[in-house]
Amino acid sequence: MTAGRFNTDVYEQRLRAAAVAAADAGLAGLVITPGYDLRYLIASRAQTFERLTALVLPASGEPVIVVPRMELASLKESAATELGITVRDWVDGDDPYRVVADALGGAPAGSSGQLAVAVTDAMPALHLLPLADVLGVVPVLATDVLRRLRMIKDGAEIDALRKAGAAIDRVHARVPEFLVPGRTEADVAADIAEAIVAEGHSEVAFIIVGSGPHGADPHHECSDRELRAGDIVVVDIGGPYEPGYNSDSTRTYSIGEPSPEVAQQYSVLQRAQQAAVEAVRPGITAEQVDAVARDVLAEAGLAEAFVHRTGHGIGLSVHEEPYIVAGNDLPLAEGMAFSVEPGIYFPGQWGARIEDIVIVTADGAEPVNSRPHELIVVPV
């Protein structure tokens, strides 16, 4: 590892790979404003303001950071200084978009007239529109250029995801003590939030505590509904664990013994989730993994109860590519990381979901979560 706060070898390799990908796509370069792409490329956690900050990465040439002079200090919190990236600062009254165009090396459009500059999908319109005006073309999204790089996690990223998974497992281990009849979903969520930070996360990204009929809403958060004996409770939680890679895990709990019907339907969900995890391997497509989970549920007459995709990629962002969904014929590759989270939902009654993060290995999948997948019964 190169001496210093950051492993500059990693970030140099990422910048080179992004430039090559841009060239292969026929682009003059990439313009990356604050967001997860900028964090991936230079470890910057800069925020977006009305003043433009951008990493300009020409397909041929050296990267440049365009930054307001008053925000120069923020570069010290990234790998930019250690990487030796050229900085072009600007002050109010200057045209930063012209600085970006100059850093790209001139005309962004090829002889065919096709768009030849790509911007991160996190660029706000207040920067995109004036940049397009200066360039003379509307840039395309850099998603297709960068997604392959971010989808394949390196060893350090995989280790970070393992640590995040272990930390959220420790939180789920404590959840039963919070699920006491008479307490509200909000009470439980507050306890979980405290536990997430106590177990090493830098912050809470999301907490879903869906009890009883609220469990049938996949994106319910929490409410003042009081828990009751007999409730099925969906608990979906996660957050960034330093250096910022996210956890995301769902387990479903029963306050008291579930009814035979609930237990039987949940057992089908458990089989569907297990089958999908076991199907993961290099070469299988994302939609095929989705179909494995969906087919198990369909055979039991529960197809209509599964209303969302089977999974989403995870890393610096909670939701990123690859998406495990019908219509995505992307072949999985070693190093990809994503959730496997089928669910069943019965509006007005109850719902359930089981979610693990898995990493594609050379011959299968490595789950980073290890909490029991059974319906967890909380005694009353």
Side-chain angles (χ1 to χ4, degrees):
M1 178 181 291
T2 303
R5 179 181 172 189
F6 299 95
N7 184 345
T8 54
D9 291 342
V10 168
Y11 293 103
E12 287 171 352
Q13 190 279 329
R14 290 177 181 177
L15 288 168
R16 285 194 301 269
V20 169
D24 290 345
L27 297 168
L30 310 176
V31 182
I32 309 298
T33 46
Y36 294 116
D37 288 334
L38 189 64
R39 190 165 176 181
Y40 176 80
L41 291 169
I42 62 169
S44 172
R45 304 190 188 200
Q47 298 182 30
T48 292
F49 300 106
E50 72 275 13
R51 296 179 176 89
L52 178 71
T53 292
L55 169 68
V56 183
L57 188 60
S60 178
E62 296 301 314
V64 173
I65 293 179
V66 177
V67 60
R69 189 168 297 167
M70 64 187 297
E71 300 293 339
L72 279 171
S74 67
L75 295 183
K76 297 178 181 178
E77 301 302 316
S78 73
T81 300
E82 293 179 24
L83 289 166
I85 297 176
T86 298
V87 176
R88 296 186 183 173
D89 61 328
W90 61 279
V91 296
D92 290 347
D94 294 341
D95 184 350
Y97 308 103
R98 174 56 57 190
V99 179
V100 169
D102 292 343
L104 284 166
S111 58
S112 67
Q114 292 180 333
L115 304 182
V117 176
V119 299
T120 179
D121 58 9
M123 180 180 285
L126 67 90
H127 295 313
L128 174 63
L129 297 181
L131 178 61
D133 185 57
V134 168
L135 294 176
V137 293
V138 177
V140 297
L141 290 179
T143 306
D144 286 343
V145 178
L146 295 176
R147 70 172 188 156
R148 187 73 183 179
L149 304 183
R150 285 185 52 187
M151 277 196 298
I152 306 298
K153 271 56 179 182
D154 61 28
E157 291 178 295
I158 290 171
D159 185 58
L161 288 168
R162 288 180 182 131
K163 290 177 180 177
I168 209 67
D169 279 357
R170 294 193 296 270
V171 178
H172 267 297
R174 295 187 56 191
V175 167
E177 70 187 74
F178 306 144
L179 298 178
V180 178
R183 304 191 75 215
T184 67
E185 293 174 347
D187 292 334
V188 175
D191 286 338
I192 291 173
E194 184 177 331
I196 286 174
V197 175
E199 292 297 347
H201 292 77
S202 58
E203 61 182 358
V204 177
F206 58 90
I207 297 175
I208 293 174
V209 180
S211 65
H214 289 168
D217 176 1
H219 278 173
H220 175 77
E221 293 181 357
C222 63
S223 73
D224 290 331
R225 182 184 185 275
E226 293 184 355
L227 305 184
R228 307 168 190 171
D231 277 350
I232 306 300
V233 186
V234 178
V235 177
D236 184 352
I237 53 179
Y241 191 92
E242 288 306 313
Y245 284 77
N246 281 275
S247 64
D248 184 1
S249 180
T250 309
R251 293 295 185 265
T252 303
Y253 301 82
S254 177
I255 302 179
E257 291 293 335
S259 70
E261 181 182 22
V262 167
Q264 188 276 328
Q265 291 174 324
Y266 184 90
S267 70
V268 176
L269 175 64
Q270 188 177 341
R271 285 195 286 111
Q273 200 266 350
Q274 181 180 351
V277 171
E278 291 176 349
V280 173
R281 63 184 184 278
I284 193 173
T285 65
E287 65 180 356
Q288 287 174 321
V289 175
D290 177 83
V292 167
R294 212 165 291 280
D295 288 349
V296 172
L297 293 169
E299 288 172 5
L302 295 174
E304 297 301 315
F306 184 15
V307 296
H308 55 74
R309 64 193 174 207
T310 293
H312 58 82
I314 193 167
L316 290 171
S317 175
V318 176
H319 287 186
E320 58 185 50
E321 297 199 45
Y323 293 102
I324 311 304
V325 64
N328 186 1
D329 62 359
L330 175 75
L332 302 183
E334 185 175 0
M336 290 181 177
F338 50 84
S339 67
V340 177
E341 52 175 307
I344 50 176
Y345 309 95
F346 305 95
Q349 301 178 56
W350 64 283
R353 184 163 63 253
I354 307 169
E355 176 184 19
D356 292 322
I357 300 302
V358 303
I359 297 164
V360 182
T361 63
D363 58 1
E366 174 197 341
V368 303
N369 303 107
S370 59
R371 292 295 301 164
H373 296 83
E374 293 78 16
L375 184 59
I376 300 164
V377 178
V378 180
V380 292

